[in-house]
Amino acid sequence: MKTIFRNFRLIDSTQDTVGTVLVTDCGTIGAVITDTQAKLPDVYRIFDGGGRLVLSPAFVDMHTHLRDPGFPEKETLESAALAAAAGGFGTLVCMANTKPVIDNLALAQLLKQRSDVLGIIDLYPAMALTHALEGQELSGITESLPDTIRLLSEDGKDIYDDALFLAALQAASRADKMVSCHCEAGGESAAVARAITLGKKAGCRIHIAHVSTQAAVATIRREKSKPDARLSCEISPHHCALTQKDARKLGAETFGLVAPPLRTEDDRRAIKEGLCDGTINVIATDHAPHTSSDKEAGSPGFTGLETAFAVCNTVLVRENHISPQKLSDSMSAEPARLLGFSDRGRLASGLYADLVVLDPEQQRTVNPALFYSRGKNTPFAGRTWYGVVLLTMHRGRIVYES
Ligand SMILES: [Zn+2]
């Protein structure tokens, strides 16, 4: 179905201008028009942004925990896809810590096929580095892994054995896949340095997941300034917005528990500075849905897909740390680029019509009862943020409307 978004504030990594976007019936962006006098074609469906509402490329999340297969009480592929659409996301990379663990291509392909049938988002499973995430022997990393696998990760766990970690990174390098590293063992900064050192030795692209400390930001900044750096990293919305004070209020060992933990105000400032100066590439949710009883029992993580934009828009854009374009870059263009997608992440003719309509000025109070995600474990319940997702389009089809 042909659609036209007329008179929107078009924001992506390269522009912030009022204009019009045409969507073709094949689900791609047909044209981006910034000439307000341009004659527009007859179309079936028209949305008018009143010159105020924002049209951006849908978000790309490099770090989601789907819990499917294996933990339907926490989340299913279906509930996660709906939550993603409600949060403005078009593409997710999901982590391998399911039951069974996604440690081979067949399981990854099955999950992707199930997601493709739903047609709500585009899913790319990350494959584990070791068999069953046990840290004992390598998983099914082969040189011929197809593009279904964009990322390899042992997320949630560090591989303690240096020789095995190096072997995993060498296998990833031969397969030309990036590795996302959860770095906590021995302290975040030391673990980051270790991943970078072994990554260099293996000739492997390293992506540091959920950077949360001042020291780790400094280490990454130093490493990225070197000419041969093949290094990227992400931060999470909750580390941008919250500190250990919030964790204590929520229950440091229960509802405020996340890995890596919420840190100090200095750490929070450092990751925001890292985002501003380009040290940090990407904002990723680390969406980690849990049941209430699992949180009571100390399961780490927060549900995050449905609050990511509002939280980042409020604490990063409205508090003048970054521009709206930079936020779009961190949530869409840059993760798309790192994952090797040239077909999404910006507003440009020929790309997929994976789009999101946003009202950055509208305030809304977080009510987890209204989440599509089965995980109601948000640290933001009852808090009010600026920014509402009004509509999400996936491949030219509306998959969410508020
Ligand atoms: Zn992690």
Side-chain angles (χ1 to χ4, degrees), residues 21-24 26-32 342-344 346-354:
V21 165
L22 306 186
V23 175
T24 69
C26 339
T28 58
I29 296 173
V32 179
S342 54
D343 54 11
R344 69 197 74 184
R346 289 171 299 118
L347 298 176
S349 162
L351 302 195
Y352 284 129
D354 288 5

Side-chain angles (χ1 to χ4, degrees), residues 63 65 95 97 153-158 180-184 209-210 234 259-260 286:
H63 194 152
H65 295 273
M95 291 298 160
N97 59 343
S153 183
E154 197 83 342
D155 186 66
K157 291 186 171 181
D158 295 73
S180 173
C181 300
H182 176 111
C183 296
E184 276 199 283
H210 40 54
E234 72 191 28
D286 195 7

Side-chain angles (χ1 to χ4, degrees), residues 298-342:
S299 292
F302 300 138
T303 196
L305 287 168
E306 289 165 88
T307 50
F309 169 71
V311 169
C312 293
N313 182 54
T314 305
V315 303
L316 298 173
V317 177
R318 286 187 65 94
E319 293 178 12
N320 286 323
H321 295 286
I322 60 171
S323 66
Q325 291 112 292
K326 175 69 176 175
L327 182 61
S328 180
D329 185 54
S330 323
M331 292 184 72
S332 300
E334 183 66 0
R337 185 186 73 80
L338 290 175
L339 293 166
F341 294 113
S342 54

Side-chain angles (χ1 to χ4, degrees), residues 221-297:
R221 183 179 289 122
R222 197 168 53 242
E223 285 298 326
K224 282 181 99 171
S225 69
K226 297 178 181 169
D228 56 341
R230 299 181 81 202
L231 179 62
S232 57
C233 65
E234 72 191 28
I235 54 174
S236 76
H238 47 268
H239 288 112
C240 291
L242 303 173
T243 66
Q244 54 199 21
K245 271 191 194 160
D246 299 286
R248 281 196 291 269
K249 269 186 234 157
L250 291 158
E253 298 304 319
T254 56
F255 292 92
L257 184 67
V258 63
L262 298 175
R263 307 284 191 182
T264 67
E265 186 57 36
D266 284 346
D267 291 316
R268 188 172 87 100
R269 192 177 311 118
I271 63 170
K272 289 194 286 188
E273 280 167 10
L275 184 67
C276 292
D277 72 14
T279 303
I280 310 288
N281 300 73
V282 161
I283 298 169
T285 66
D286 195 7
H287 174 76
H290 287 295
T291 63
S292 192
S293 54
D294 288 347
K295 285 303 285 177
E296 300 263 16

Side-chain angles (χ1 to χ4, degrees), residues 113-182:
Q113 279 160 14
R114 282 178 52 214
S115 177
D116 288 348
V117 169
L118 289 178
I120 299 169
I121 49 140
D122 210 3
L123 183 69
Y124 287 85
M127 200 170 90
L129 292 171
T130 72
H131 173 72
L133 290 171
E134 284 169 351
Q136 300 294 323
E137 53 187 300
L138 292 187
S139 65
I141 309 169
T142 63
E143 282 175 42
S144 57
L145 278 181
D147 277 348
T148 304
I149 308 292
R150 301 267 167 164
L151 194 67
L152 302 169
S153 183
E154 197 83 342
D155 186 66
K157 291 186 171 181
D158 295 73
I159 299 179
Y160 292 92
D161 181 60
D162 276 353
L164 185 68
F165 194 14
L166 180 63
L169 297 176
Q170 284 166 334
S173 171
R174 285 193 295 271
D176 195 23
K177 303 293 176 188
M178 184 168 57
V179 175
S180 173
C181 300
H182 176 111

